[in-house]
Amino acid sequence: MENGGFNPDRKSTGTDRRTRLTNMVSGLGKLPPQAIDLEEAVLGALMLEKDALSAVIDILKPELFYKETHQKIFASIATLFQKSSPIDILTVTSQLRQQGDLEMVGGAYYITELTNRVVSAANIEYHARIISQKFIQRELIRISTEIIQNAYEDTTDIFDLLDHAEKNLFDIAQNNLRRDSRKMDDIIRESLDSLEKLRDRVDGLTGVPSGFTALDRMTSGWQPSDLVIIAARPAMGKTAFVLSCARNAAVQFNKPVVVFSLEMSSVQLVNRLISGETEIEQEKIRKGNLAEWEWQQLHSKIGTLTEAPLFIDDTPALNIFEFRAKCRRLKAQYDIQMIIIDYLQLMHGKGEGKGGNREQEIGSISRALKSVAKELNVPVIALSQLSRAVESRPGGNKKPMLSDLRESGSIEQDADMVLFLYRPEYYGLTEDEEGRSTVGIGEVIIAKHRNGETGTIPLRFIGKYVKFADLEDDFNVSSAPVNTDPFAGMAPSTDFDKPNSFITRPSRMDDMDDEAPF
């Protein structure tokens, strides 16, 4: 590759990088950010007081120093510390002599001069942080200069450049902006404050509500910083379920939610939401074949959706860099409380999905999703496909297991929760083991719950309205009559407008449009 071309694998020493940086910045008539006097003060203090290094060992590294001589002196001090040897003028001088660097740093005279420039180590931690800040400034200048140079190259792959730039910036934050350890009394005080706030909550929810009573009782809501994977075979109702969750959170609880739809257009998703909100069949809305009273019902009930803080992004083939940038922007602008992705396997980890091991790419995507959840402190819910192993399993048991996760190298490991959706009726099973009807029933199986219990929650799946809802408290699954009139009870109802309330009616799944994608 020609000089100046983009090569992320190119190796260079810290000295080489800083030399190039100095030349580039000097050409602009400016010196790189530096604090030579503080570097001298810190090194002198480290050789004066034996406990001084303990205060800055997690802040400073040799490469943070601007002068190469100071880098070598600090490296020798760190070596003595690792060997549990005393640190003073004589031991540091001896260590430099063993390394062959004593003359290079200016001899024993310069080491002595460093100790004469400081009286005590009282402010050494503050001085060390300034040195670290100057290094971060220099690294930002270096990375920015490299980005500018490579952006001018016609042969540069733009997605490789984005990846390399983001990785370098992320490394700066990870390696130099670490959070200090916290004392136990501070953590306990914060925990007690949180518990006292929870005591005052009637609903017991600590996260974003799903709107499903039994599910929220088990999970206490979708928890901040959690990565939740919801997996199922096609036609089980994955999109219907997360749309119901998004609708409940945004409409009932006024929580801002964003849905990234990689499979369906935003209009298709909104049509599903309208069908569930107005309880007008999805097939009628899709064809626009509505009676006059249905048009009136539609206009009277979509107001709640119009005002809901619900955002839909249907960018196709979304890659993880675009996703992260959009989430940060939405968080800053609208304080997004929950992120939904439909679905994981349609995302790209790098560039435009060029070759490579797909399982590794999915693994990098799942790690990135978890990183976004922690960074923004919001739950990230990602839909995922299951392998065909479910259908090929012998016998009548088609309930999914963790091993059925498709391309599951890291998905199960990174996820805080893994949920499966299962509708026995799809496989022709109309009764469960106890003889109760499974018609119109969808099961939410919590297979992994890092911070809570696992179990199975039955929900009502209303296929013609493309939504999930709570089972009625007094609903008897085994004796529930099947409603054969698709227009029964379709008049507007005030009960639907009550908080935490759904109008749910049993329905024949055979009446559904076989081609409707769930």
Side-chain angles (χ1 to χ4, degrees), residues 32-265:
Q34 55 187 283
I36 301 296
D37 52 343
L38 292 182
E39 291 182 8
E40 294 173 345
V42 166
L43 292 174
L46 291 176
M47 290 183 285
L48 281 179
E49 297 190 16
K50 64 177 182 178
D51 296 327
L53 186 58
S54 300
V56 298
I57 191 64
D58 59 339
I59 300 174
L60 293 178
K61 292 176 290 186
E63 59 266 26
L64 268 61
F65 290 84
Y66 178 72
K67 289 187 66 175
E68 187 176 358
T69 57
H70 293 167
Q71 294 177 19
K72 293 186 177 297
I73 294 172
F74 184 80
S76 67
I77 292 174
T79 300
L80 291 170
F81 180 80
Q82 292 171 1
K83 296 191 297 185
S84 299
S85 300
I87 299 172
D88 55 34
I89 298 175
L90 296 178
T91 56
V92 171
T93 302
S94 175
Q95 180 63 34
L96 286 168
R97 185 179 291 111
Q98 290 179 19
Q99 296 174 183
D101 294 328
L102 182 59
E103 297 304 320
M104 184 267 184
V105 302
Y109 175 78
Y110 184 71
I111 304 299
T112 305
E113 281 293 304
L114 290 176
T115 59
N116 292 334
R117 299 183 185 185
V118 64
V119 176
S120 72
N123 301 316
I124 189 171
E125 184 174 351
Y126 180 76
H127 295 161
R129 294 193 183 280
I130 294 178
I131 294 172
S132 177
Q133 291 171 12
K134 297 299 181 182
F135 171 76
I136 293 173
Q137 289 178 271
R138 295 197 299 272
E139 286 295 281
L140 289 174
I141 292 171
R142 178 183 66 81
I143 293 170
S144 301
T145 304
E146 285 184 359
I147 293 172
I148 292 171
Q149 285 182 331
N150 293 323
Y152 275 107
E153 293 292 329
D154 293 335
T155 57
T156 299
D157 185 289
I158 186 62
F159 293 106
D160 285 343
L161 177 59
L162 283 171
D163 183 26
H164 187 57
E166 186 175 64
K167 180 180 181 300
N168 283 341
L169 292 172
F170 181 76
D171 287 343
I172 291 177
Q174 286 292 98
N175 297 330
N176 299 285
L177 300 177
R178 296 176 181 174
R179 186 175 180 179
D180 292 335
S181 301
R182 301 175 61 190
K183 294 177 63 179
M184 182 58 70
D185 59 344
D186 292 336
I187 301 174
I188 289 179
R189 191 178 301 112
E190 182 179 328
S191 178
L192 289 176
D193 291 342
S194 176
L195 289 174
E196 289 176 0
K197 291 178 182 178
L198 293 177
R199 181 185 60 182
D200 299 332
R201 294 183 66 97
V202 178
D203 52 20
L205 295 175
T206 59
V208 178
S210 69
F212 302 119
T213 306
L215 182 59
D216 284 337
R217 188 181 298 120
M218 185 172 288
T219 64
S220 298
W222 309 116
Q223 298 300 311
S225 79
D226 273 6
L227 172 60
V228 181
I229 299 295
I230 299 176
R233 288 294 293 154
M236 285 295 162
K238 296 189 298 296
T239 303
F241 178 75
V242 293
L243 276 184
S244 296
C245 291
R247 180 265 171 201
N248 295 343
V251 173
Q252 294 182 1
F253 300 94
N254 199 37
K255 301 285 187 180
V257 179
V258 59
V259 179
F260 289 90
S261 177
L262 284 72
E263 185 177 31
M264 301 173 62
S265 71

Side-chain angles (χ1 to χ4, degrees), residues 432-457:
D432 60 15
E433 294 83 354
E434 299 178 4
R436 293 177 300 187
S437 173
T438 58
V439 175
I441 299 297
E443 296 180 3
V444 178
I445 304 169
I446 303 179
K448 176 186 176 181
H449 192 184
R450 184 166 287 162
N451 301 306
E453 58 183 318
T454 58
T456 300
I457 297 123

Side-chain angles (χ1 to χ4, degrees), residues 400-420:
M401 300 181 295
L402 288 172
S403 59
D404 296 325
L405 278 172
R406 186 176 174 186
E407 296 165 326
S408 61
S410 298
I411 296 177
E412 180 185 347
Q413 174 184 330
D414 296 327
D416 297 280
M417 288 183 66
V418 177
L419 281 68
F420 296 122

Side-chain angles (χ1 to χ4, degrees), residues 232-382:
R233 288 294 293 154
M236 285 295 162
K238 296 189 298 296
T239 303
F241 178 75
V242 293
L243 276 184
S244 296
C245 291
R247 180 265 171 201
N248 295 343
V251 173
Q252 294 182 1
F253 300 94
N254 199 37
K255 301 285 187 180
V257 179
V258 59
V259 179
F260 289 90
S261 177
L262 284 72
E263 185 177 31
M264 301 173 62
S265 71
S266 56
V267 174
Q268 288 175 315
L269 290 183
V270 169
N271 284 343
R272 287 189 171 205
L273 287 168
I274 291 174
S275 175
E277 194 74 11
T278 62
E279 297 214 325
I280 298 174
E281 293 182 42
Q282 165 73 8
E283 179 68 11
K284 288 190 172 186
I285 292 178
R286 187 164 66 90
K287 295 179 178 179
N289 185 23
L290 275 65
E292 183 61 31
W293 67 269
E294 289 174 322
W295 281 108
Q296 295 176 4
Q297 178 167 305
L298 186 149
H299 286 292
S300 68
K301 291 209 170 185
I302 61 173
T304 54
L305 284 179
T306 303
E307 299 172 1
L310 183 58
F311 306 86
I312 297 176
D313 186 311
D314 60 357
T315 304
L318 186 69
N319 66 53
I320 198 64
F321 308 125
E322 295 172 329
F323 170 77
R324 185 185 287 114
K326 289 184 177 185
C327 288
R328 287 170 177 162
R329 187 162 56 247
L330 287 166
K331 181 67 175 179
Q333 292 179 346
Y334 305 107
D335 192 25
I336 291 297
Q337 297 296 304
M338 185 164 70
I339 300 169
I340 296 173
I341 303 122
D342 183 15
Y343 58 93
L344 180 65
Q345 278 79 14
L346 291 180
M347 292 190 76
H348 292 301
K350 178 180 179 182
E352 307 200 3
K354 303 174 293 183
N357 187 311
R358 180 58 179 166
E359 185 170 339
Q360 291 179 355
E361 185 178 16
I362 291 295
S364 69
I365 292 172
S366 68
R367 288 189 294 273
L369 295 182
K370 177 61 181 177
S371 175
V372 169
K374 289 186 66 177
E375 177 186 344
L376 302 183
N377 196 35
V378 300
V380 173
I381 300 176

